[in-house]
Amino acid sequence: MSTPAIDSLALLTPGNFADDDPYTGLEETLQLFEYGERIGFDGAWIRQRHLEHGVGSAAVFLAAAGQRTERVELGTAVIPIGYESPFRLAEDLALADVLSRGRLQVGLSTGMPHAALLGDLVHDGDWRGFDLSYGRIARVVDHLRGDYLGGPDTVIQSPGNTQRPRLQPHDPGLVDRVWYGGGSLRSIRWAAEHGLNLLTGNIVTGEGTDDFTAAQLGLVSEYRHALPEGRPARLALGRVIVPFDSADASTRARYREYAAGRHARTLAPQGPKRTLFAPDVVGTAEQILEQLAADPVVAAVSELRLELPYEFDRGDYEQILHDVRHLIAPELGWRPHTALLHGASR
């Protein structure tokens, strides 16, 4: 059995808020980003969700988070590309990245959740004929490269300035921090062949197996095999990990109830796409470490994304982050950033 060697630890949160009070929930999510940075996490990521009580524009939220944090990577996992204009999304992401001084990590995926409700509202014309899949993501990446538009003699005039046109602000480093959230062999191959970093979490497609671990190991292997030679792309694993250790008795009971309510979906492939779900890792730090040590996918990666459950409150999230950071991550080989340790000693 391989020993886990995690060198990057990040949190991923849904950004919950109440229907009648969105500000409070969003502010608490920003405070969670601050808390994660303060206790040593390397990254803080937000989900993007439409028509739900969560962040509908990851670029806007991460621009705010960039002003509230100084060190952590700021990620989105993931932006469904079907609702986005590639050029306008690239503009927003580049601006947010510059404001954060180059800390954005851009997670993208194909798909259009709630398409029957939102497709006609987002797109003019018959969007059903548009390329809303990999090609649309490729266009975002192309725009982020910042190639000039038009011919070599094409210029635009603005007050006090004549310049060749390209996406602004020009932010050449961001293109290397684009991730794809993939769960199928086809998507994994596409991401690798296009040099994108890879996010793989607790949902994959069962292709030739009903076993989640076997399917995910296959995806990790396929991604590494399909990467262009010399391309140093990153691969991050997401897991729902909920430790009990510093929680009170009623909170522990609630965590157990949460996990029990999601267990049935892990027992067999779900739906026509044969979706496979990983069990949530819930218990004491000792129990969780035992499960993670037996997970060969954890041993195969160096970056871990802690996926926080939906609909928990800020106190729950901070307790989970605290216990993972102090009781679990160090046993997986993770250490806080050297500069952070020096700052703490001062």
Side-chain angles (χ1 to χ4, degrees):
M1 183 180 299
S2 300
T3 301
I6 300 301
D7 61 24
S8 176
L9 179 66
L11 66 97
L12 169 61
T13 182
N16 306 321
F17 57 78
D19 192 74
D20 59 351
D21 184 19
Y23 172 79
T24 297
L26 293 170
E27 169 61 22
E28 288 185 345
T29 302
L30 289 169
Q31 291 173 10
L32 190 68
F33 273 46
E34 292 176 302
Y35 178 76
E37 177 174 80
R38 191 161 61 248
I39 67 173
F41 275 71
D42 301 298
W45 293 56
I46 192 75
R47 296 185 186 275
Q48 179 163 307
R49 302 153 62 190
H50 296 293
L51 300 181
E52 303 175 34
H53 297 141
V55 171
S57 173
V60 172
F61 179 86
L62 294 178
Q67 306 308 297
R68 300 279 288 266
T69 58
E70 297 180 355
R71 176 189 57 82
V72 290
E73 294 182 336
L74 301 169
T76 170
V78 285
I79 299 173
I81 198 61
Y83 290 122
E84 304 294 337
S85 158
F87 186 83
R88 281 290 301 116
L89 176 62
E91 280 188 320
D92 288 347
L93 293 170
L95 181 58
D97 188 51
V98 169
L99 289 172
S100 74
R101 288 173 292 182
R103 289 186 284 138
L104 234 62
Q105 306 289 326
V106 179
L108 303 169
S109 73
T110 59
M112 289 179 64
H114 317 300
L117 292 172
L118 277 180
D120 290 335
L121 300 180
V122 172
H123 298 291
D124 294 326
D126 185 5
W127 54 269
R128 293 166 184 83
F130 294 173
D131 178 5
L132 303 177
S133 186
Y134 305 124
R136 205 168 188 84
I137 294 176
R139 287 165 59 194
V140 175
V141 174
D142 286 343
H143 292 314
L144 289 176
R145 289 195 175 94
D147 294 340
Y148 289 110
L149 306 178
D153 298 325
T154 301
V155 297
I156 59 171
Q157 305 289 339
S158 59
N161 190 16
T162 300
Q163 65 190 71
R164 292 187 66 189
R166 66 178 172 188
L167 185 141
Q168 295 289 352
H170 180 49
D171 184 22
L174 183 55
V175 72
D176 294 323
R177 286 177 271 120
V178 178
W179 300 68
Y180 185 83
S184 69
L185 287 170
R186 179 183 176 219
S187 66
I188 294 295
R189 293 187 192 105
W190 182 88
E193 290 165 359
H194 287 77
L196 274 59
N197 305 306
L198 178 66
L199 296 167
T200 180
N202 64 343
I203 303 174
V204 301
T205 302
E207 297 174 85
T209 180
D210 290 350
D211 182 76
F212 176 91
T213 300
Q216 192 164 54
L217 276 176
L219 295 180
V220 170
S221 175
E222 183 66 24
Y223 175 73
R224 288 178 170 150
H225 176 74
L227 274 172
E229 186 175 354
R231 172 69 167 113
R234 296 167 63 183
L235 192 162
L237 173 68
R239 283 288 184 268
V240 177
I241 301 172
V242 184
F244 285 172
D245 298 79
S246 64
D248 59 28
S250 63
T251 301
R252 290 186 178 204
R254 186 158 43 83
Y255 289 171
R256 289 191 185 97
E257 183 180 1
Y258 163 81
R262 287 158 50 95
H263 184 66
R265 68 179 191 167
T266 70
L267 300 178
Q270 304 293 305
K273 293 185 178 181
R274 294 178 43 80
T275 302
L276 302 176
F277 292 88
D280 300 327
V281 188
V282 180
T284 64
E286 182 179 1
Q287 292 168 333
I288 288 171
L289 285 167
E290 183 177 349
Q291 292 181 65
L292 295 179
D295 186 339
V297 187
V298 176
V301 302
S302 62
E303 300 199 35
L304 182 64
R305 300 289 178 266
L306 175 62
E307 299 187 359
L308 294 170
Y310 284 77
E311 307 306 330
F312 282 19
D313 62 32
R314 177 183 161 196
D316 296 334
Y317 291 144
E318 290 191 359
Q319 176 260 312
I320 292 168
L321 295 182
H322 174 276
D323 287 2
V324 169
R325 182 262 183 262
H326 290 285
L327 303 177
I328 296 172
E331 301 301 319
L332 300 176
W334 176 83
R335 297 293 182 271
H337 194 273
T338 303
L340 183 69
L341 291 174
H342 290 166
S345 66
R346 288 195 295 270

